Amino acid sequence: MKADLFDQRRLLELQAVDTTLTQLAQRRRKLDADPAFATASQRLRALGDKAANLTGDIADLDRDIDRVEREVDLVKKRAANDRDRMASGAGAKELEGLQSELESLARRQASLEDDELELMERREALDTELTETRRQLGEAERVLADAEADRARLLAEIEAETADAASTRQALAINIPDRLVELYERIHAKQPIAAAELVGRRCGSCRIEKSPADMIPIKSAPIDEVLRCEECGCVLIRTELPSTAPRTLASEDELKKYE
Ligand SMILES: [Zn+2]
């Protein structure tokens, strides 16, 4: 295939944009696979479960404490009744019975109050744990929100850069002869580097150095001959040869001079 060397060199610009697009796609994949987001979500879920369990345990303890308190009230009421009965002039035998019951009620009350104290201590410990868990939960929520914000920011950056590169690519491709672009696209569909500079004897894509013998046909090839690297198949661009057009292809003004 023949194509102006100047046009061939524009393939290098197309390749540079495609390399950028490949890198952007890689960044996108890396971002999707970033464990920070999953780790933060997982921690948030675990802490949420822990807080729910603690809240449940505290509710259970509160019910137990209520039950013990009601029992204490009953014991106290019964003792008060007994004392009223004693004060209202019971017989000696009845007094003895009441006295014994009061002693037993006092023991029962002391035992219930011990139980209550123990339950309240446990409740206090769980309360402290719940407060700490809620603090950690708040922190985990902030970490997750930060991770989400970071991810959204990076994603927006990648999308904007991708859109830029895609429009640059379109503008570049329009200015390269169709069959040259078609050749490039065919190669690019198979490998990431479809066009590379020949630097000295080395292919800029596969980095393999050509032998002096291999260089003979390359050196003697007409300037508008489209060369391919025999090793990797990419279009090999001779940037060290003088061409009819400037080597730097960046400036549109410069390009116009040669149109
Ligand atoms: Zn090569």
Side-chain angles (χ1 to χ4, degrees), residues 203 206 229 232:
C203 163
C206 64
C229 170
C232 69

Side-chain angles (χ1 to χ4, degrees), residues 49-170:
D49 288 349
K50 189 177 175 187
N53 286 339
L54 284 169
T55 306
D57 289 349
I58 288 170
D60 287 348
L61 278 176
D62 280 344
R63 268 192 299 277
D64 289 346
I65 291 168
D66 273 357
R67 182 181 48 75
V68 172
E69 277 176 352
R70 277 197 306 275
E71 273 188 64
V72 170
D73 281 349
L74 285 175
V75 169
K76 281 180 177 167
K77 245 177 237 163
R78 179 82 187 246
N81 284 343
D82 285 356
R83 277 191 291 272
D84 284 350
R85 180 76 195 119
M86 282 166 85
S88 63
K93 190 155 178 161
E94 196 188 355
L95 271 176
E96 203 180 311
L98 287 168
Q99 190 58 48
S100 152
E101 188 176 274
L102 274 174
E103 281 163 18
S104 145
L105 287 171
R107 279 196 301 277
R108 175 74 184 135
Q109 186 178 338
S111 158
L112 285 168
E113 280 168 352
D114 283 349
D115 289 351
E116 189 184 2
L117 199 67
E118 199 191 305
L119 289 170
M120 285 172 93
E121 277 169 1
R122 269 165 60 195
R123 192 200 189 284
E124 206 181 307
L126 289 184
D127 236 5
T128 306
E129 207 180 335
L130 182 60
T131 304
E132 173 58 16
T133 305
R134 283 191 176 139
R135 190 194 62 75
Q136 289 174 352
L137 200 60
E139 206 176 87
E141 272 164 358
R142 278 191 297 278
V143 169
L144 183 63
D146 285 353
E148 275 171 341
D150 279 353
R151 195 178 180 285
R153 184 176 50 75
L154 289 171
L155 206 60
E157 242 174 61
I158 292 168
E159 273 166 11
E161 285 176 42
T162 303
D164 269 3
S167 72
T168 303
R169 190 189 200 281
Q170 209 175 11

Side-chain angles (χ1 to χ4, degrees), residues 166-221:
S167 72
T168 303
R169 190 189 200 281
Q170 209 175 11
L172 275 170
I174 286 169
N175 290 313
I176 304 172
D178 285 349
R179 45 198 198 90
L180 202 53
V181 173
E182 279 159 24
L183 172 67
Y184 173 92
E185 300 287 22
R186 263 205 314 280
I187 304 168
H188 190 245
K190 286 185 279 184
Q191 60 196 55
I193 308 282
E197 245 184 295
L198 177 68
V199 185
R201 289 197 278 130
R202 198 180 294 276
C203 163
S205 171
C206 64
R207 311 270 168 197
I208 293 172
E209 190 154 291
K210 317 234 165 266
S211 69
D214 286 343
M215 284 303 287
I216 296 169
I218 292 176
K219 278 181 176 163
S220 59

Side-chain angles (χ1 to χ4, degrees), residues 220-232:
S220 59
I223 199 160
D224 60 348
E225 184 71 39
V226 176
L227 300 178
R228 303 278 296 273
C229 170
E230 283 181 9
E231 305 296 336
C232 69

